Amino acid sequence: MVKVPEPMRNEPSPEEIKKNKVYLDWALTTEEYDLICDHLHRLPNYTETGLFAAMWSEHCSYKKSKPVLRKFWSQNERVLQGPGEGAGVLDIGDQQAVVFKAESHNHPSAVEPYEGAATGVGGILRDIFSMGAQPIAVLDSLRFGELNNNDTKHLVNGIIAGIAGYGNAIGIPTVGGEIGFDATYQGNPLVNVMAVGLLNQADMQVGKAEGIGNRVLYVGAKTGRDGIHGATFASSDFDSGVEKNRSAVQVGDPFLEKLVMDATIKAIREHGDAIVGVQDMGAAGLVSSSAEMADEAGTGVLLDLDKVPQRETNMTPYELMLSESQERMLLVVKANQVAEVAKVFEDAGLSAVDIGEVTDNGKYVLSFEGQTVADVDVNYLTNPPKQVMQETAPKRLTQDATQQYQPEMTNASQTLTDLLKQSTIASKATLFRHFDSMVRTNTVIKPGGDAALVRIKGTSKALAMTTDISGRYTYLNPKIGGALAVAEAARNIVATGATPIGITDCLNFGDPDDPEIYYELDKSCEGINDMAKVLNTPIISGNVSLYNETDGQAIYPTPMVGMVGLLDDVEKATTINFKNADDLIYLVGEVRPDFNGTELQKMQTGEIKGNLNDFDKNIEKQHQQLVLAGIKQQLINSAHDVAEGGLGVTLAEMTFNTDFGANVKQAHPVSWYFAESPSLFVVTVKPENQTKFEKLVGDQARLIGKVTTDPQLKLVALDQDINVNKNEIEKGYQEAITWQLNH
Amino acid sequence: MKAAVIQFPGSNCDMDMMHALKDFKVDATLVSHNETDLSDYDAIFLPGGFSFGDYLRSGAIARFSPIMEAVKQADEAGKRIVGICNGFQILTEAGLLPGQLMQNEHPGFICDEVKMEVTNPDTKFSRDYQTSEITLPVAHGEGRYYADQATIDSLEKNHQIVFKYQTNVNGSTDDIAGITNQKGNVLGMMPHPERAIEAILGNTDGRKLFESILDN
């Protein structure tokens, strides 16, 4: 009889696990458990059951979303690394590359907003520097319930403070993102964080445990009992009647992460020949990082758990393997060079411990107090059984609802004034002010523009970056909505003068076992994919967050699209604000009466309803290319895409933070100023460039008005005019969020 | 001029300061907080950031770093010492400047561009400013300058207050944004001049500060 190590005495035996179905609590199904038993020809012990539960969770394995994700287009001439690694990598010339990825931290942020959001920032940054890249920017895409709810206020304050607390301290600027409010996110807020890094191509690392006999080096923070089973926690939905699972939320330490980040980048740059693989310990911590690296290389791994640095006493193998303690990295290092790599970390005051080796038998073996406590096949552990997912179109999509909402327009000036105060449209400057957007001194366009722009020191180049969510549109039509999210992200990038080059995403959906939700997931990804191909923006990384439900009610299907663009000459960057009086205002594209899913529909009726009109992806692309050409030839001096709130809101925003107003005339009903039609830009052109510009754009852009010195926004239409004092509407736009948070 | 930029664990504006100094062709070197000798340098810069995670209190741990003895010797030798943001917090904690930086009046980090006044244009750090009104970036959560009335009176009397906020963003006593020591060789300020030296980033009001320092 083998003696059971002391810390493991209270664990149920393999027979008890089977009898009491302990695995069900970890979201492993009975079918899956039985498969594991068959595969092993024995009953798995407690530790092994935990390993499978974590590795086969949706959060780690993407087993349910994989059939959809596999369809994503992710190859073109720039792609150096597509999905499957810490982050995707695109060639930007000069032997440099941009690395980016987005990740969701919805579940942790719902129960513990500060730490949930903070560790969301920490986790995505580790994904970036594990590739060998220096993180250069963070963006946050946030969705909350309505702001008139006290829970929402608590979440907004906590989540904003958490992002600030982590990002500011680690010294990576938070340069952009967007924040929106809809009742559907009540109880299930979305915290999607995107990080962007800059890489010398020679330093690129991947997560691979290659080379038999190579060593597994554990670096960074010690392992504690925090975040155990965070991955399975993220793979189930919420029940509002049950105490929320706080122990599954990790606690972040940005100071420690800064040390880990700087040391990891230094080790890769100075000892790159010694380092075979790097991976951060994120979801399902030690097991996921080590097993994935071994699977990638087709090797095995043997870990000695007694060597794992521990923050608490009496930790069991189960706890050590599944802890999601933050600020930890796993490196695979050539056997004879461990000391030189470890020294880089030790010099920074960090743990760097050799905890195991790469083996040739394809086995995942753990030893603890002299005993083997887990022995399973790497390949089996990392590849859950294929899932067959059912899809059905939700009823609301099969009913005929093509008719557009008919807005009420008794006082269009008032409508514009009110729209600018809607929480989703109003300025988020008072929230973004909590983020350090300038550290590293590269931020050319700060939060508040269409996209952020970060220059690359030592070159004339800059990277534009943005995030976009089109949850309302996706709810009304998943496929068109998905395509619109990509199109709008690209318009944001284009408005700065940069060429869109690639996409990351966070797919926030409900329970995938519901065929209607799976349909929404599948169709919206199709839309994303179709638009991405047209724009030549491959989808190089991403993340899936499913089970976004409270009490069986799913959120809107909400894909978040993060996009990066490249600008060759940063001096030619364009911003959204009007530049000079008498500049000519042009509209690229034509407004249509698209009112379903608009901010106007929500403001006037309190709900989102109907179907969406489709749009022509090639025209979208043409308009973007036109604007890019105009900026490149320096004919356009300000550009803004038309989004929430329509043309009226776009024009108003262009007057803000300037001394100017505008006179615009359109031969359509006044309500059309609030239509949210796709593929539209407003640009301004100096009078002396009129001929040149009109020659460039042909009939795809139309002169609609003029920038004025008079601080008045006059929008003429067929039936009614809008005439508002720009300073007054700007005041409402700037102060609305603070007012709503405090009332 | 040879300048040292001190790197504490958690400093995060160290590279920004290096970038700025190099822009002014200064021979600048990063020096670890564990070093003990600064005799080779003419000017010492303590950059912004979160030294030692701002744990306990911002600057409270950094002041015990080995390098701080050398910083004190540099002060005794009359060398120019500049503490920006967290650097200012470290200098007050170390007793090289009077007063204390406390949590902002409205708790929470603020990042913004703030109008301020050059209240003393005759210091080694401000003498090149031609206008009294400038705009500089701020980025801090613990930037509220506090000192007792006697200290404030003596700061005023000795013209040690170099910058004052026109919009008091953090509740600082007497709107104080930056001060020197009595000798006038040590400057501490919460705003970030190193973030305001390039037109492409939208603000060049920090340039005169560096020019003043270089202008021997």
Side-chain angles (χ1 to χ4, degrees), chain A residues 168-171 253-255 258-259 433-444 446 455 457 570-571, chain B residues 9-13 16 19 50 52-53 55 108-113 137-139 169 194-195 198 200-201:
Chain A
N168 297 347
I170 198 170
D253 179 354
F255 170 60
K258 167 128 175 82
L259 301 181
R433 190 171 185 245
H434 294 299
F435 306 144
D436 191 339
S437 57
M438 297 185 269
V439 63
R440 298 185 65 81
T441 56
N442 291 322
T443 315
V444 177
K446 299 184 187 95
R455 61 106 180 249
K457 283 194 180 107
V570 66
E571 299 286 344
Chain B
S11 294
N12 66 25
C13 302
D16 300 351
H19 177 76
F50 289 71
F52 296 94
Y55 295 138
F109 193 97
I110 43 169
C111 173
D112 214 336
E113 309 247 354
V138 299
V169 284
E194 82 282 10
R195 295 186 182 188
E198 294 177 85
I200 189 73
L201 303 183

Coordinates of all heavy atoms in Angstrom, one line a residue, chain A residues 168-171 253-255 258-259 433-444 446 455 457 570-571, chain B residues 9-13 16 19 50 52-53 55 108-113 137-139 169 194-195 198 200-201:
Chain A
N168 N -1.9 51.5 -15.3 CA -1.1 52.7 -15.0 C 0.2 52.3 -14.2 O 1.3 52.8 -14.5 CB -1.9 53.6 -14.0 CG -3.1 54.2 -14.7 OD1 -3.3 54.1 -15.9 ND2 -4.0 54.8 -13.9
A169 N 0.1 51.3 -13.3 CA 1.2 50.9 -12.5 C 2.3 50.2 -13.4 O 3.5 50.4 -13.2 CB 0.8 50.1 -11.3
I170 N 1.8 49.4 -14.2 CA 2.8 48.6 -15.0 C 3.4 49.5 -16.1 O 4.4 49.2 -16.7 CB 2.2 47.3 -15.6 CG1 3.3 46.3 -16.0 CG2 1.2 47.6 -16.7 CD1 2.8 45.0 -16.4
G171 N 2.7 50.6 -16.4 CA 3.4 51.6 -17.3 C 3.1 51.3 -18.8 O 3.9 51.7 -19.6
D253 N -1.1 41.8 -9.1 CA 0.0 42.7 -8.5 C 0.8 43.3 -9.7 O 1.7 42.6 -10.2 CB 0.9 41.8 -7.6 CG 2.0 42.7 -7.0 OD1 2.2 43.8 -7.4 OD2 2.8 42.1 -6.2
P254 N 0.4 44.5 -10.1 CA 1.1 45.0 -11.3 C 2.5 45.3 -11.1 O 3.3 45.2 -12.1 CB 0.3 46.3 -11.5 CG -0.3 46.7 -10.2 CD -0.6 45.3 -9.6
F255 N 2.9 45.6 -9.9 CA 4.4 45.8 -9.6 C 5.2 44.5 -10.0 O 6.2 44.6 -10.7 CB 4.5 46.2 -8.2 CG 6.0 46.2 -7.7 CD1 6.9 47.1 -8.3 CD2 6.4 45.4 -6.7 CE1 8.2 47.1 -7.9 CE2 7.7 45.4 -6.3 CZ 8.6 46.3 -6.9
K258 N 5.3 43.9 -13.7 CA 6.3 44.8 -14.4 C 7.7 44.1 -14.3 O 8.4 44.1 -15.3 CB 6.3 46.2 -13.8 CG 7.5 47.0 -14.2 CD 7.1 48.4 -14.8 CE 8.2 49.3 -15.1 NZ 8.8 49.0 -16.4
L259 N 8.0 43.6 -13.1 CA 9.3 43.0 -13.0 C 9.4 41.7 -13.9 O 10.4 41.5 -14.6 CB 9.6 42.6 -11.5 CG 9.6 43.7 -10.5 CD1 9.8 43.1 -9.1 CD2 10.6 44.8 -10.8
R433 N -10.2 59.4 -18.3 CA -9.2 60.2 -17.6 C -8.5 59.5 -16.5 O -7.4 59.9 -16.0 CB -10.0 61.4 -17.0 CG -9.2 62.5 -16.4 CD -10.2 63.7 -16.1 NE -9.4 64.9 -15.7 CZ -9.5 65.4 -14.5 NH1 -10.3 64.8 -13.6 NH2 -8.8 66.4 -14.2
H434 N -9.1 58.4 -16.0 CA -8.4 57.6 -15.0 C -7.3 56.7 -15.5 O -6.5 56.1 -14.7 CB -9.4 56.7 -14.2 CG -10.5 57.5 -13.5 ND1 -10.1 58.3 -12.4 CD2 -11.8 57.6 -13.6 CE1 -11.2 58.9 -12.0 NE2 -12.2 58.4 -12.6
F435 N -7.2 56.6 -16.8 CA -6.1 55.8 -17.4 C -5.0 56.6 -17.9 O -5.2 57.7 -18.5 CB -6.7 55.0 -18.6 CG -7.9 54.2 -18.4 CD1 -8.9 54.1 -19.4 CD2 -8.1 53.5 -17.2 CE1 -10.1 53.4 -19.1 CE2 -9.3 52.8 -17.0 CZ -10.2 52.7 -17.9
D436 N -3.8 56.2 -17.6 CA -2.6 56.9 -18.1 C -2.5 56.5 -19.6 O -2.2 55.4 -20.0 CB -1.3 56.4 -17.4 CG -0.1 57.3 -17.7 OD1 -0.2 57.9 -18.8 OD2 0.8 57.3 -16.9
S437 N -2.8 57.5 -20.4 CA -2.8 57.2 -21.9 C -1.6 57.7 -22.6 O -1.4 57.5 -23.7 CB -4.0 57.9 -22.5 OG -4.0 59.3 -22.3
M438 N -0.7 58.3 -21.8 CA 0.5 58.9 -22.4 C 1.8 58.3 -22.0 O 2.8 58.6 -22.7 CB 0.6 60.4 -21.9 CG -0.6 61.2 -22.4 SD -0.4 63.0 -22.0 CE -1.1 63.0 -20.4
V439 N 1.9 57.4 -21.0 CA 3.2 56.9 -20.6 C 3.8 56.1 -21.8 O 3.1 55.6 -22.6 CB 3.0 56.0 -19.3 CG1 2.1 54.8 -19.7 CG2 4.3 55.5 -18.8
R440 N 5.1 56.1 -21.8 CA 5.9 55.6 -22.9 C 6.1 56.7 -24.1 O 6.7 56.4 -25.1 CB 5.4 54.3 -23.5 CG 5.4 53.2 -22.5 CD 5.0 51.8 -23.2 NE 6.0 51.4 -24.2 CZ 7.1 50.8 -23.9 NH1 7.4 50.5 -22.6 NH2 7.9 50.5 -24.8
T441 N 5.4 57.8 -23.9 CA 5.5 58.9 -24.8 C 5.4 58.6 -26.3 O 6.3 59.0 -27.1 CB 6.7 59.8 -24.6 OG1 7.9 59.0 -24.6 CG2 6.7 60.4 -23.2
N442 N 4.4 57.8 -26.7 CA 4.2 57.5 -28.1 C 2.8 57.8 -28.6 O 2.5 57.6 -29.7 CB 4.5 56.0 -28.3 CG 6.0 55.7 -28.2 OD1 6.8 56.4 -28.6 ND2 6.2 54.5 -27.5
T443 N 1.9 58.2 -27.7 CA 0.5 58.3 -28.0 C 0.2 59.6 -28.8 O 0.2 60.7 -28.2 CB -0.4 58.2 -26.8 OG1 0.1 57.2 -25.9 CG2 -1.8 58.0 -27.1
V444 N 0.0 59.4 -30.1 CA -0.3 60.6 -31.0 C -1.7 60.9 -30.9 O -2.1 62.1 -30.8 CB 0.2 60.2 -32.4 CG1 -0.1 61.4 -33.4 CG2 1.7 59.9 -32.5
K446 N -5.0 60.3 -28.7 CA -5.4 59.8 -27.4 C -6.9 59.3 -27.4 O -7.6 59.5 -28.4 CB -5.2 60.9 -26.3 CG -3.7 61.3 -26.2 CD -3.6 62.3 -25.1 CE -2.2 62.9 -25.1 NZ -2.1 64.2 -25.9
R455 N 2.8 56.0 -32.1 CA 3.9 56.0 -33.1 C 5.0 55.0 -32.6 O 5.1 54.6 -31.5 CB 4.5 57.4 -33.1 CG 5.1 58.0 -31.8 CD 6.6 58.0 -31.7 NE 7.0 58.5 -30.4 CZ 7.5 59.7 -30.2 NH1 7.8 60.5 -31.2 NH2 7.8 60.1 -29.0
K457 N 8.8 54.7 -32.1 CA 10.0 55.5 -32.0 C 11.1 54.9 -33.0 O 11.2 53.7 -33.2 CB 10.6 55.5 -30.6 CG 9.8 56.4 -29.6 CD 10.6 56.6 -28.3 CE 9.8 57.5 -27.4 NZ 9.2 56.8 -26.3
V570 N 3.7 59.1 -39.8 CA 2.8 59.6 -38.7 C 2.5 61.0 -38.8 O 1.5 61.5 -38.3 CB 3.6 59.3 -37.4 CG1 4.8 60.0 -37.2 CG2 2.6 59.5 -36.2
E571 N 3.3 61.8 -39.6 CA 3.0 63.2 -39.8 C 1.7 63.5 -40.5 O 1.1 64.5 -40.5 CB 4.1 63.9 -40.5 CG 5.5 63.9 -39.8 CD 5.6 64.8 -38.6 OE1 4.7 65.7 -38.5 OE2 6.5 64.6 -37.8
Chain B
P9 N 12.8 49.7 -9.0 CA 11.9 48.6 -9.4 C 10.5 49.3 -9.4 O 10.1 49.8 -8.4 CB 12.0 47.6 -8.3 CG 13.2 47.8 -7.6 CD 13.5 49.3 -7.7
G10 N 9.8 49.2 -10.6 CA 8.5 49.9 -10.7 C 8.5 51.2 -11.3 O 7.5 51.8 -11.6
S11 N 9.7 51.8 -11.5 CA 9.8 53.1 -12.3 C 9.2 52.8 -13.7 O 9.5 51.7 -14.3 CB 11.2 53.5 -12.5 OG 11.8 53.9 -11.3
N12 N 8.4 53.7 -14.2 CA 7.9 53.4 -15.6 C 8.0 54.6 -16.5 O 7.6 54.5 -17.7 CB 6.5 52.7 -15.6 CG 5.4 53.7 -15.0 OD1 5.6 54.9 -15.1 ND2 4.4 53.1 -14.5
C13 N 8.6 55.7 -16.0 CA 8.8 56.8 -17.0 C 10.3 57.0 -17.2 O 10.8 58.0 -17.6 CB 8.2 58.1 -16.4 SG 6.4 57.9 -16.1
D16 N 11.1 57.1 -20.8 CA 10.6 58.4 -21.4 C 11.6 59.5 -21.1 O 11.8 60.4 -21.9 CB 9.2 58.7 -20.8 CG 8.2 57.7 -21.1 OD1 8.5 56.7 -21.9 OD2 7.1 57.7 -20.6
H19 N 14.6 59.1 -23.3 CA 14.2 59.6 -24.6 C 14.3 61.1 -24.7 O 14.8 61.7 -25.6 CB 12.8 59.1 -25.0 CG 12.3 59.5 -26.3 ND1 12.8 59.0 -27.5 CD2 11.4 60.5 -26.6 CE1 12.2 59.6 -28.5 NE2 11.3 60.5 -28.0
F50 N 5.8 53.8 -10.4 CA 5.3 53.3 -9.1 C 6.4 52.5 -8.4 O 6.4 51.3 -8.4 CB 4.1 52.3 -9.4 CG 2.8 53.0 -9.9 CD1 2.8 53.6 -11.1 CD2 1.7 53.1 -9.1 CE1 1.6 54.3 -11.6 CE2 0.6 53.8 -9.5 CZ 0.5 54.3 -10.8
F52 N 8.5 50.4 -6.3 CA 8.1 49.3 -5.3 C 6.6 49.2 -5.2 O 6.0 49.0 -4.1 CB 8.8 49.6 -3.9 CG 10.3 49.5 -4.0 CD1 11.1 50.6 -4.1 CD2 10.9 48.2 -3.8 CE1 12.5 50.5 -4.2 CE2 12.3 48.1 -3.9 CZ 13.1 49.3 -4.1
G53 N 6.0 49.4 -6.3 CA 4.5 49.3 -6.4 C 3.7 50.3 -5.6 O 2.5 50.2 -5.4
Y55 N 3.7 50.6 -2.7 CA 3.2 49.9 -1.5 C 3.6 50.7 -0.3 O 4.6 51.4 -0.2 CB 3.7 48.5 -1.4 CG 3.2 47.7 -2.6 CD1 3.9 46.8 -3.3 CD2 1.8 47.8 -3.0 CE1 3.4 46.0 -4.3 CE2 1.3 47.1 -4.0 CZ 2.1 46.2 -4.7 OH 1.6 45.5 -5.8
G108 N -8.5 58.7 -6.8 CA -8.5 58.1 -8.2 C -7.4 58.7 -9.0 O -7.1 59.9 -8.8
F109 N -6.9 57.9 -9.9 CA -5.8 58.4 -10.8 C -6.4 59.4 -11.8 O -7.5 59.2 -12.3 CB -5.2 57.2 -11.5 CG -3.9 57.4 -12.2 CD1 -2.7 57.0 -11.6 CD2 -3.9 57.9 -13.5 CE1 -1.5 57.2 -12.3 CE2 -2.7 58.1 -14.2 CZ -1.5 57.7 -13.5
I110 N -5.6 60.4 -12.1 CA -6.0 61.3 -13.2 C -4.9 61.5 -14.2 O -3.8 61.7 -13.8 CB -6.5 62.7 -12.7 CG1 -5.5 63.2 -11.6 CG2 -7.9 62.7 -12.2 CD1 -5.7 64.7 -11.3
C111 N -5.3 61.4 -15.5 CA -4.3 61.7 -16.6 C -5.0 62.7 -17.4 O -6.1 62.6 -17.9 CB -4.1 60.4 -17.4 SG -3.1 60.6 -18.8
D112 N -4.3 63.9 -17.5 CA -4.9 65.0 -18.2 C -3.8 66.0 -18.6 O -2.6 65.9 -18.2 CB -5.9 65.7 -17.3 CG -7.1 66.2 -18.1 OD1 -6.9 66.5 -19.3 OD2 -8.2 66.4 -17.6
E113 N -4.2 67.0 -19.4 CA -3.2 68.1 -19.7 C -3.8 69.3 -18.9 O -5.0 69.6 -19.1 CB -3.2 68.4 -21.2 CG -3.0 67.2 -22.1 CD -1.7 67.3 -22.8 OE1 -1.0 68.3 -22.7 OE2 -1.4 66.2 -23.5
P137 N 1.3 67.8 -19.1 CA 0.5 66.6 -18.7 C 0.7 66.2 -17.2 O 1.8 66.4 -16.7 CB 1.1 65.5 -19.6 CG 2.0 66.2 -20.6 CD 2.4 67.5 -20.0
V138 N -0.4 65.7 -16.6 CA -0.2 65.1 -15.3 C -0.8 63.7 -15.4 O -1.6 63.4 -16.2 CB -1.0 65.9 -14.2 CG1 -0.6 67.3 -14.0 CG2 -2.5 65.8 -14.5
A139 N -0.3 62.8 -14.5 CA -0.7 61.4 -14.4 C -0.4 60.9 -13.1 O 0.7 60.4 -12.8 CB 0.0 60.6 -15.5
V169 N -6.1 70.3 -10.0 CA -6.7 69.0 -10.3 C -6.7 68.0 -9.2 O -7.4 67.0 -9.2 CB -6.0 68.4 -11.5 CG1 -6.4 69.0 -12.8 CG2 -4.5 68.4 -11.3
E194 N 8.7 65.7 -19.5 CA 9.3 64.8 -20.5 C 8.2 64.2 -21.4 O 8.6 63.7 -22.5 CB 10.0 63.6 -19.8 CG 9.2 62.4 -19.3 CD 8.4 62.7 -18.0 OE1 8.4 63.8 -17.5 OE2 7.9 61.7 -17.4
R195 N 6.9 64.4 -21.1 CA 5.9 64.0 -22.0 C 5.5 65.1 -23.0 O 4.5 65.0 -23.7 CB 4.6 63.5 -21.3 CG 4.9 62.3 -20.4 CD 3.6 61.8 -19.8 NE 3.8 60.7 -19.0 CZ 2.9 59.9 -18.4 NH1 1.6 60.3 -18.6 NH2 3.2 58.9 -17.7
E198 N 7.6 67.0 -27.8 CA 7.5 66.8 -29.3 C 6.2 67.2 -29.8 O 5.1 66.8 -29.3 CB 7.7 65.3 -29.5 CG 9.0 64.7 -29.2 CD 9.1 63.2 -29.4 OE1 9.3 62.8 -30.5 OE2 8.8 62.5 -28.4
I200 N 4.6 66.2 -32.4 CA 3.8 65.1 -32.8 C 2.9 64.5 -31.7 O 1.8 64.0 -32.0 CB 4.6 63.9 -33.5 CG1 3.8 62.9 -34.2 CG2 5.5 63.3 -32.4 CD1 3.2 63.3 -35.4
L201 N 3.3 64.7 -30.5 CA 2.5 64.3 -29.3 C 1.6 65.4 -28.8 O 0.9 65.2 -27.8 CB 3.4 63.7 -28.2 CG 4.3 62.6 -28.6 CD1 5.1 62.1 -27.4 CD2 3.5 61.4 -29.2

